[in-house]
Amino acid sequence: AEMSHNCGLDTWTTNSRIVHATSSVPNGNYTRQSLVVAAFAHEPNVVRAPSGEFVMYYTASFPDDPPPEACMACTDGSTPADAECPGGPAGDGPTYMIYAKEPHGPWSKPQQLFNSQTNFTNLDTNLALVILPNNSVVGIARNEGPPTTDLTHLVTAEDWRDPESYKGRWTTLLFPNATVVDKRGVEDPFLYVDKRGVYHAVFHNQIENDDMRLCGGHAYSVDGLTWVFTGTSWGNRVRFSDGTTYTFSRRERPHFVFGDPKDPYKITALTTGVQYGAHAPISITGEDGCYTLLQPVNQVEPGRRAAAGH
């Protein structure tokens, strides 16, 4: 997702839109190519179907709603603290699915999911999933309520093409132990299946009062149905290739890059949406500049130790 009009993350409910970017190598640099879905559109997750289609899931405005009035009072990628920007409930929009034979499109007409469960989808769902060889779906989504505000749930579908087959298990918590997944819970899942057939999910951690030092979370499942939360996977302090370090005020929306042509299961990089500012790691109004960060991942074969610093 991209914030339009050179704005920062605080404008996401009005300025967020989905764009397509490409790179000649998996670990970047990436160049913006085109607009895919105009504002309001947010939280895109793209997966491959067994038949090769690129399938995108995202949050957007209701079909009959007029486009939100964008904030245009931004400078240098940030939204000034005194900016008079329009607000709106766009962030509570429904979840949609589109698909295409090629990543540059053309994309299909959007189809809305969870139509029969709208009494449960009281928040943008953050839907992320994997499509299995038999075309069925295993995914994770969220809604809002006690005890941890953000509540994580299992989503399944018999056929990824059938929007009516997507069902969230909204009355059952994916992580029922509130002493493990506490405070605001987790959001922004990304799912994948490893070469052993084990399901994995990474999240934006909001545990321990949204402590950004714990911002990356991980869970796994043997069958895709019962999940175990394992804890923190990364923090908000990043070391760059020139040896410098920076501690971000926010680090969200994790995705893995599988960029090794010899091993499609190998994770080569982690991307996250990061927020920066003069007072970082403290997040204050007026310092909401954000961008997509790509961090290479060093993997170690089972049974071997990682070198220091890996």
Side-chain angles (χ1 to χ4, degrees), residues 25-83:
V25 293
N27 283 11
N29 294 325
Y30 283 80
T31 302
R32 186 188 189 280
Q33 298 294 341
S34 61
L35 176 68
V36 179
V37 186
F40 164 75
H42 198 59
E43 301 161 351
N45 271 301
V46 180
V47 297
R48 295 295 297 274
S51 47
E53 293 93 339
F54 295 85
V55 189
M56 182 191 300
Y57 301 86
Y58 62 97
T59 296
S61 304
F62 286 93
D64 297 331
D65 287 352
E69 181 183 354
C71 180
M72 299 184 183
C74 304
T75 57
D76 196 28
S78 296
T79 313
D82 58 353

Side-chain angles (χ1 to χ4, degrees), residues 1-2 4-5 12 45 71 92 94-95 142 156 177 191 209 226 257 270 293 299 303:
E2 170 190 77
S4 67
H5 299 91
W12 74 276
N45 271 301
C71 180
D92 295 330
T95 303
R142 71 168 182 177
T156 58
N177 188 345
L191 275 67
N209 289 321
T226 302
V257 176
L270 164 70
L293 174 76
Q299 287 196 313

Side-chain angles (χ1 to χ4, degrees), residues 6-155:
N6 206 24
C7 285
L9 188 59
D10 288 347
T11 67
W12 74 276
T13 61
T14 56
N15 288 39
S16 180
R17 59 191 183 186
I18 297 173
V19 299
H20 177 216
T22 62
S23 172
S24 60
V25 293
N27 283 11
N29 294 325
Y30 283 80
T31 302
R32 186 188 189 280
Q33 298 294 341
S34 61
L35 176 68
V36 179
V37 186
F40 164 75
H42 198 59
E43 301 161 351
N45 271 301
V46 180
V47 297
R48 295 295 297 274
S51 47
E53 293 93 339
F54 295 85
V55 189
M56 182 191 300
Y57 301 86
Y58 62 97
T59 296
S61 304
F62 286 93
D64 297 331
D65 287 352
E69 181 183 354
C71 180
M72 299 184 183
C74 304
T75 57
D76 196 28
S78 296
T79 313
D82 58 353
E84 296 183 4
C85 293
D92 295 330
T95 303
Y96 293 92
M97 173 183 67
I98 57 176
Y99 55 90
K101 292 183 178 179
E102 302 292 339
H104 51 74
W107 292 89
S108 65
K109 181 180 178 180
Q111 299 181 77
Q112 186 175 334
L113 307 183
F114 309 124
N115 281 314
S116 64
Q117 298 183 313
T118 55
N119 55 320
F120 293 108
T121 54
N122 58 359
L123 193 68
D124 52 313
T125 67
N126 286 179
L127 177 63
L129 53 81
V130 291
I131 301 176
L132 303 180
N134 65 357
N135 289 318
S136 66
V137 164
V138 171
I140 294 175
R142 71 168 182 177
N143 65 359
E144 188 174 53
T148 58
T149 308
D150 280 17
L151 307 178
T152 312
H153 307 277
L154 182 71
V155 172

Side-chain angles (χ1 to χ4, degrees), residues 145 147-150 178 181-186 206-210:
T148 58
T149 308
D150 280 17
V181 180
D182 65 352
K183 309 304 180 185
R184 285 194 55 86
V186 295
Q206 298 180 116
I207 60 177
E208 297 193 22
N209 289 321
D210 204 7

